[in-house]
Amino acid sequence: MIQFRIQPDSEIPASTQLFNQIRFAIASRQYPPGYKLPSTRALAMQTGLHRNTISKVYRQLEEDGFVESLAGSGIYVRAQGHEGGSRLQSPILTQHPEASKVLQQALDELLNQGYSLSQAREIFLAEIDWRLRCSARVLVAAPTQDMGVGELMAYELEEELKIPVQIVAIDELASVLDKTTSATVVTSRYFINDVEAIAAPKAIRVIPLDIYDYNKEITLLKQLAKDNCVGIVSLSSGIGRQAEVILHGLRGDELLVMTAQPKDNYKMQAIVKRAEVIICDQACYAIVQAAVQAASEDIIRPPKLIKVENYIGTNSINLLKRELGLG
């Protein structure tokens, strides 16, 4: 942090002394464009001046165009001359000042490394164009032995992103990527290492998805009385197996756990007739409802149905939307 010194016995007012020192720090790029000025509290402790005096100096710097104030963030050094120009008046930069600073810093870093402006422009445009091309085709990679989890991810992605996605078995991913020049592959973090090993040599983007934490459902299962029967219905056989392991860890043999995929009619009927609680994927909910309705004459007490709202974590969905340029 630059040390500003105020001469109390000088004929020059203290505020003018500070103003000139900060202006020099900006001109000499000790405070470069985008630099956040010290808080009035920090500067008051250093100089011994009242915070009101420092606030007055900051206002004068802003009026003269040296700095700009961002509400709730602080005071920042503005770009001057060729560094700023007319782009400071651009509506998009005015609406997104933080993004503008990120872009300026990235550009400054490239220039400092010796790249020309033309080269920096090509680098930025190449990256943006590549991402846009990748967004044109979205592939969901899933293990061959559990394509149901791929169906579940694809179902949720199409619901949220409003674009078509293609499910690909991991064993077949290499041959599919050989036939495309651009795509984005998404998969659960469970399978990310296998997928990246295939996609990386082909320069294909891979975006890992975090899964939902199931905290709400786990809390409910912890509270169930002993000897209850719990049904788990999922497109994914792997989810069913994982649920059995988790439930055994939580409750031991206190609960009877039955699992099924919606296409397995025999197991579905057994769950509907036996379970007190059935937990199912969003994609399976209507099928489970229909199965319960069809067996209503054979059921004394209908099971409680719990629909898991998502398999993919909300943060991952939002990140993917941004990565694909969908909002």
Side-chain angles (χ1 to χ4, degrees):
M1 181 177 178
I2 298 174
Q3 296 294 314
F4 297 112
R5 302 185 184 280
I6 304 300
Q7 299 295 331
D9 55 351
S10 172
E11 295 181 356
I12 301 174
S15 60
T16 302
Q17 292 182 52
L18 181 60
F19 177 88
N20 288 336
Q21 290 182 57
I22 295 177
R23 190 169 63 172
F24 175 78
I26 293 172
S28 63
R29 291 185 73 89
Q30 295 178 74
Y31 280 177
Y35 184 86
K36 183 178 180 180
L37 269 60
S39 67
T40 56
R41 180 186 297 275
L43 213 49
M45 292 178 64
Q46 182 191 140
T47 63
L49 298 178
H50 196 280
R51 290 176 64 183
N52 288 343
T53 300
I54 296 169
S55 295
K56 177 183 175 182
V57 170
Y58 279 0
R59 284 196 299 272
Q60 185 61 50
L61 286 166
E62 185 169 17
E63 289 174 6
D64 290 354
F66 292 105
V67 302
E68 58 185 335
S69 174
L70 299 181
S73 180
I75 309 291
Y76 294 85
V77 176
R78 289 184 63 177
Q80 305 295 318
H82 71 278
E83 297 171 337
S86 60
R87 67 181 173 81
L88 289 177
Q89 306 304 317
S90 170
I92 189 66
L93 296 179
T94 302
Q95 293 169 17
H96 305 284
E98 292 300 326
S100 175
K101 289 189 183 350
V102 170
L103 182 60
Q104 290 176 42
Q105 290 167 2
L107 182 55
D108 284 345
E109 180 63 26
L110 286 175
L111 296 176
N112 288 336
Q113 290 182 21
Y115 294 93
S116 68
L117 275 175
S118 295
Q119 289 173 320
R121 179 178 182 275
E122 290 301 316
I123 290 169
F124 279 121
L125 289 178
E127 178 68 16
I128 292 170
D129 288 345
W130 179 65
R131 292 197 178 202
L132 288 174
R133 289 199 307 273
C134 291
S135 302
R137 188 178 186 192
V138 178
L139 307 177
V140 173
T144 305
Q145 66 273 21
D146 185 15
M147 291 301 289
V149 74
E151 293 177 24
L152 182 56
M153 286 189 284
Y155 175 88
E156 293 190 5
L157 290 175
E158 289 187 339
E159 286 285 308
E160 293 288 340
L161 304 180
K162 308 301 181 187
I163 60 172
V165 300
Q166 178 184 349
I167 306 169
V168 180
I170 293 175
D171 291 347
E172 300 173 4
L173 183 59
S175 61
V176 172
L177 296 182
D178 283 338
K179 300 173 185 176
T180 185
T181 57
S182 59
T184 291
V185 180
V186 297
T187 191
S188 164
R189 288 196 186 275
Y190 277 108
F191 320 121
I192 187 63
N193 291 335
D194 292 338
V195 173
E196 283 191 328
I198 297 168
K202 303 177 185 296
I204 297 293
R205 293 179 80 202
V206 179
I207 299 179
L209 302 174
D210 295 319
I211 66 169
Y212 170 61
D213 59 21
Y214 295 96
N215 277 336
K216 183 172 68 174
E217 291 74 22
I218 289 174
T219 299
L220 179 141
L221 293 171
K222 286 179 178 179
Q223 298 170 351
L224 285 180
K226 288 184 179 181
D227 301 323
N228 264 229
C229 177
V230 178
I232 307 292
V233 181
S234 174
L235 290 176
S236 166
S237 59
I239 289 177
R241 290 192 297 271
Q242 292 162 15
E244 287 183 307
V245 172
I246 292 170
L247 277 173
H248 184 76
L250 289 173
R251 301 294 302 270
D253 296 325
E254 293 179 350
L255 300 176
L256 172 62
V257 181
M258 302 174 69
T259 65
Q261 292 177 272
K263 294 179 182 179
D264 191 332
N265 292 328
Y266 179 79
K267 286 188 176 181
M268 282 284 293
Q269 291 178 20
I271 286 176
V272 165
K273 294 176 181 179
R274 177 70 178 84
E276 284 88 6
V277 175
I278 300 177
I279 300 175
C280 63
D281 302 330
Q282 182 183 159
C284 299
Y285 187 68
I287 299 172
V288 176
Q289 275 188 316
V292 172
Q293 183 63 33
S296 59
E297 294 183 0
D298 301 323
I299 301 174
I300 298 175
R301 185 177 180 182
K304 178 179 180 180
L305 301 185
I306 298 174
K307 178 174 65 174
V308 179
E309 293 300 330
N310 54 299
Y311 170 71
I312 303 171
T314 302
N315 288 340
S316 277
I317 289 288
N318 292 334
L319 174 61
L320 192 56
K321 286 181 179 179
R322 294 193 294 272
E323 287 281 350
L324 297 178
L326 300 174

